[in-house]
Every structure is written in structure tokens, then in C-alpha cells.
DNA sequence: AAGCCGTGGGG
DNA sequence: TCCCCAAGGCT
């Protein structure tokens, strides 16, 4: 057995002993010398978990995974689900294009011709062609659910491998080099357990800030450890500072005590918070861009309003300070309900709708709007 | 191909 | 407080 073989064997033994117990995962190492795919797990659950885990922590995913699998136990059930309900169930998890792709992928799988209906493709290439599955997810599902040998590289593997081989090429340029090195380590058998083991190692031992090399089964093979500077790898460029944006959302209600409703809009499928229900807003103009207002606008609305407060929210590439303007308080003489046509809402996205305040939690607002709503409507 | 796309937790 | 980052994909 070569050096790479020794490393993967050590990693698999470590995984057999210390694998995290996760809802979508089968227990490893039940059968020494097992055949390929001996640990294969339900492809639907593997796929769903992998999509949820894209750029998202395990702790954040677990409750969503439990709710989704309870409500939609099979890919066929998910394919038949109302898309709005899926989006609402995804609310709070972020990167909402994943939810739209999730539905599209479920429909594609459920609609596969012949005996394949409702069955995921079992090859990496077949999986890669499905919406929402990129290089990582296709490889992960092929390996974990179908026992295929696939080279699985996520941010954990990138970090572990960059350290093992002291790869100094900065990311993302270094990705090719890292993938090639991962390929040499990946075993023909148990590629899925190997991938999960590498990810567990990265998540629990070979961590970004303070790697626990004393606990690492690969420490004696690790070039960065030999150099005494594990955290020097992988090399990454510094991120650009986030610009600040400001915006104003509108809290428009109607109805009497106990029967109040709030005006919600469906955001366009593309762009920020695409496809999600939201409070109408003015488009979050960037500071200093002339105050250009895109989106819903508020000019046509009659009646007095006041600013109830503001929330701060940080997105991937900008931060936002969102004011909440409250229209038509309960005692207002203005009946906005009679002014339906003038209410804001993107027609192509389905316009807007009055939503009972008592059931606001079920609307599935993205965190930004949930925070804003909390200013005037306690949970 | 570089920018867009959420959120919450940890140091 | 602020910065970094997490089982990335799409355009």
C-alpha cells in the first residue's frame, strides 16, 4: 500500500471510530472489508441534506432537514408539493435559489422516463445534470448514496488537503491542484465514507482557526504540521469590504382587532431573496447612488405613516439598514383595502396578498423581514 | 469568470 | 464590534 493508500486507510479507521451521528447519515464501519456501497444511504435524504448543507452549517441544517423529511418523505412527495410551501419551509436557511432548484430537481427526478421515475441517477454525470447539483454535490451523492468512486471536494477537504500537501497556491486558483491531490487520496472502495471522514476531520479536528493536530490521524503525513504552521493553509485572498445600503420597508395593515392583515408581496424569482414572500420595500438604494428607487415604490399609497424603527442585516456582499414605515395603524381612517390596485407588488411575481397577522409565522418571511416585522408585531 | 446569492455562530 | 466562514451553484 502506497503513501496515499495508507493515509486513506487511516482516515477511514478514524471515521469508523469517530464519525459524527447525523440524521441523514448511515453508521460507518459496520462491515470491515465491505463491498462498494455497503454504507449507501437513501439518495433522497443524501441529496436533500447536501443541498441544505451548501455553504450552511450542520447545526443550522438539522431542524430544517427533520421538518422537510417529515413533511415530504420522498422525492415524489417533494415533487408534488406546492412551490410556495417549499419556499416558506426554507425561509431562514438562506440562499433561496437552492429551494427553487430543489423543487425543479425533484420534479426532474420524479419525471424521469421509464423505470427511473422517482429514482435519482446513480452516476456522477447524471447527477451533475440536475438543477442545483454542481461538482461537489454530484460527487458527494454519487459516493455517499451510490457507492461510486467520486472525488469529493468541499471547503473542509480543501483545507485538509491544502495542509497535508502544503499547497501554497492561493484559492480559488489552487482548487485544481487540491482536487488532483484529493484524487490521489480517494480510495476505490468506500469513497463515500472517505469523503464524509475528510469532512468530519475538517469540521472537528483540522479546523480553520485552531486545528487539534494531536487528535489527527494524518498529522504524521501533514506537510503544514511539519512546518509548524497549519493555519497558513489554504492561502486565500482577503475579501473586499461590504458596501452599506439603506432601504425602507412598508408595514401596511387593514382590519380590526384580532383580524388584522398585513400586505405581503412575492419577490421576483431572480435576485435577492428571490421567490420569497416579503414586506414591500423601496429597493434598498445604495448610499450615494442618487437615491434611485427600484422595486415596489410607495408613492401611490395614501395616508399618514411613521417610522417604527430599523433593523440592521448583513448579506453576503453588502450590509443593509432597513427602516420600517408603518402605514394605516388600526385607528387610521384610511382604508387601504379599498385601494387594492395601488398597493405595491411585482405583478410578474404574483403581486401581493393580505396575510393574517395571527399567522404571520407561517408566511415564511426571510430573516430580514422577520426581524423588521418584530419591530411592530411581537412573534 | 468573477460577481451574485443568506444566515448564524465563533474567535 | 467586526471579521471570517460554512457539505457551493449559477450566470
Amino acid at each position: 500500500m502506497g503513501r496515499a493508500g495508507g493515509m486513506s486507510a487511516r482516515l477511514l479507521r478514524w471515521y469508523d471510530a469517530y464519525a459524527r451521528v447525523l440524521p441523514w447519515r448511515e453508521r460507518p464501519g459496520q462491515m470491515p472489508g465491505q463491498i462498494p456501497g455497503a454504507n449507501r444511504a437513501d439518495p433522497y435524504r443524501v441529496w436533500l441534506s447536501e443541498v441544505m448543507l451548501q455553504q450552511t452549517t450542520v447545526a443550522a441544517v438539522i431542524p430544517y432537514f427533520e421538518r422537510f423529511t417529515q413533511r415530504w418523505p420522498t422525492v415524489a412527495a417533494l415533487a408534488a408539493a406546492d412551490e410556495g410551501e417549499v419556499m416558506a419551509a426554507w425561509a431562514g436557511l438562506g440562499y433561496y435559489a437552492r429551494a427553487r432548484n430543489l423543487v425543479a430537481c425533484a420534479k426532474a427526478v420524479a419525471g424521469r422516463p421509464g423505470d427511473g421515475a422517482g429514482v435519482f441517477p446513480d452516476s456522477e454525470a447524471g447527477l451533475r445534470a440536475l438543477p442545483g447539483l454542481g461538482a461537489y454535490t454530484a460527487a458527494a451523492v454519487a459516493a455517499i448514496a451510490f457507492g461510486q468512486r467520486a472525488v469529493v471536494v468541499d471547503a473542509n477537504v480543501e483545507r485538509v488537503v491544502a495542509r497535508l500537501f502544503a499547497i501554497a497556491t492561493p484559492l480559488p486558483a489552487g482548487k485544481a491542484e487540491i482536487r488532483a491531490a484529493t484524487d490521489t487520496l480517494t480510495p476505490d472502495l468506500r469513497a463515500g465514507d472517505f469523503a464524509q471522514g475528510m469532512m468530519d476531520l475538517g469540521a472537528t479536528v483540522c479546523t480553520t482557526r485552531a486545528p487539534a493536530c494531536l487528535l489527527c490521524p494524518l498529522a504524521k503525513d501533514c506537510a503544514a504540521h511539519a512546518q509548524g504552521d497549519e493555519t497558513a493553509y489554504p492561502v486565500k485572498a482577503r475579501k473586499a469590504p461590504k458596501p452599506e445600503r439603506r432601504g425602507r420597508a412598508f408595514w401596511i395593515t387593514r382590519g380590526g382587532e384580532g383580524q388584522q392583515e398585513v400586505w405581503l408581496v412575492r419577490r421576483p424569482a431572480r435576485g435577492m431573496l428571490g421567490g420569497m414572500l416579503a414586506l414591500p420595500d423601496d429597493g434598498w438604494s445604495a448610499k450615494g447612488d442618487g437615491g434611485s428607487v427600484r422595486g415596489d415604490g410607495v408613492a401611490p399609497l395614501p395616508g399618514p405613516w411613521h417610522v417604527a424603527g430599523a433593523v440592521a442585516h448583513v448579506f453576503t456582499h453588502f450590509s443593509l439598514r432597513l427602516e420600517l414605515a408603518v402605514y394605516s395603524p388600526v385607528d387610521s381612517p384610511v382604508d387601504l383595502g379599498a385601494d387594492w390596485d395601488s398597493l405595491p407588488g411585482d405583478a410578474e411575481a404574483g403581486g401581493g396578498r393580505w396575510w393574517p397577522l395571527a399567522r404571520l409565522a407561517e408566511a415564511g418571511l426571510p430573516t430580514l423581514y422577520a426581524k423588521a416585522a418584530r419591530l411592530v408585531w411581537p412573534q
Side-chain angles (χ1 to χ4, degrees):
Chain A
M1 186 177 291
R3 177 166 174 270
M7 292 170 69
S8 61
R10 270 193 295 287
L11 190 279
L12 284 169
R13 276 197 299 277
W14 178 86
Y15 182 66
D16 288 343
Y18 301 113
R20 289 178 290 178
V21 175
L22 300 171
W24 47 84
R25 177 181 278 183
E26 299 296 319
R27 299 296 186 86
Q30 301 302 309
M31 297 183 232
Q34 55 205 286
I35 60 172
N39 277 326
R40 70 175 60 172
D42 178 357
Y44 170 65
R45 294 167 65 86
V46 174
W47 161 72
L48 178 62
S49 67
E50 290 298 344
V51 173
M52 288 183 165
L53 286 161
Q54 289 166 3
Q55 296 288 285
T56 309
T57 56
V58 166
V61 164
I62 287 175
Y64 284 85
F65 179 83
E66 301 285 15
R67 282 195 294 272
F68 267 69
T69 51
Q70 183 158 20
R71 188 166 175 182
W72 300 294
T74 65
V75 68
L78 187 59
D82 175 77
E83 181 165 320
E85 292 186 17
V86 176
M87 300 301 285
W90 196 275
L93 200 54
Y95 285 137
Y96 297 100
R98 291 185 296 174
R100 283 193 168 281
N101 284 330
L102 195 76
V103 174
C105 181
K107 290 184 192 301
V109 170
R112 294 183 72 208
D115 295 342
V119 179
F120 280 86
D122 62 1
S123 72
E124 189 176 355
L127 291 160
R128 179 68 180 81
L130 294 169
L133 282 84
Y136 162 76
T137 306
V141 175
I144 297 168
F146 294 107
Q148 309 278 350
R149 184 189 183 279
V151 180
V152 180
V153 183
D154 77 321
N156 288 301
V157 177
E158 265 178 11
R159 184 171 58 255
V160 171
V161 172
R163 288 174 178 171
L164 279 177
F165 297 92
I167 293 172
T169 311
L171 295 176
K175 283 176 180 289
E177 198 174 338
I178 290 172
R179 189 190 187 284
T182 307
D183 197 348
T184 69
L185 296 177
T186 302
D188 291 335
L189 302 184
R190 301 189 66 190
D193 285 347
F194 175 79
Q196 294 180 91
M198 290 287 278
M199 293 189 278
D200 276 20
L201 188 71
T204 64
V205 173
C206 193
T207 59
T208 304
R209 299 265 174 56
C213 301
L214 283 175
L215 303 178
C216 181
L218 305 181
K220 74 182 183 62
D221 307 296
C222 182
H225 186 57
Q227 295 174 5
D229 192 7
E230 300 84 11
T231 59
Y233 307 92
V235 181
K236 293 185 181 180
R238 282 203 53 173
K239 309 216 160 148
K242 293 181 197 296
E244 303 227 356
R245 293 192 189 183
R246 289 170 181 263
R248 179 178 292 159
F250 309 109
W251 184 260
I252 306 165
T253 60
R254 70 170 187 183
E257 186 88 23
Q259 298 181 23
Q260 287 186 79
E261 297 175 305
V262 63
W263 185 252
L264 300 181
V265 298
R266 176 78 65 187
R267 294 179 63 86
R270 311 259 178 178
M272 292 292 300
L273 312 175
M276 300 298 289
L277 278 182
L279 295 176
D281 63 49
D282 69 353
W284 318 340
S285 63
K287 190 196 290 183
D289 72 352
S292 68
V293 172
R294 64 176 197 280
D296 306 309
V298 73
L301 291 182
W305 56 273
H306 71 278
V307 175
V311 296
H313 197 72
V314 181
F315 294 106
T316 305
H317 56 292
F318 64 91
S319 59
L320 175 67
R321 182 181 186 279
L322 188 72
E323 270 185 0
L324 186 65
V326 176
Y327 274 82
S328 180
V330 186
D331 58 357
S332 166
V334 178
D335 180 8
L336 285 167
D339 207 6
W340 179 282
D341 290 338
S342 71
L343 288 172
D346 184 298
E348 280 188 28
R353 77 285 319 271
W354 292 108
W355 192 278
L357 272 181
R359 297 195 292 110
L360 187 59
E362 302 163 36
L365 294 180
T367 299
L368 168 68
Y369 298 111
K371 280 159 64 175
R374 248 173 259 139
L375 291 173
V376 291
W377 189 257
Q379 179 70 2

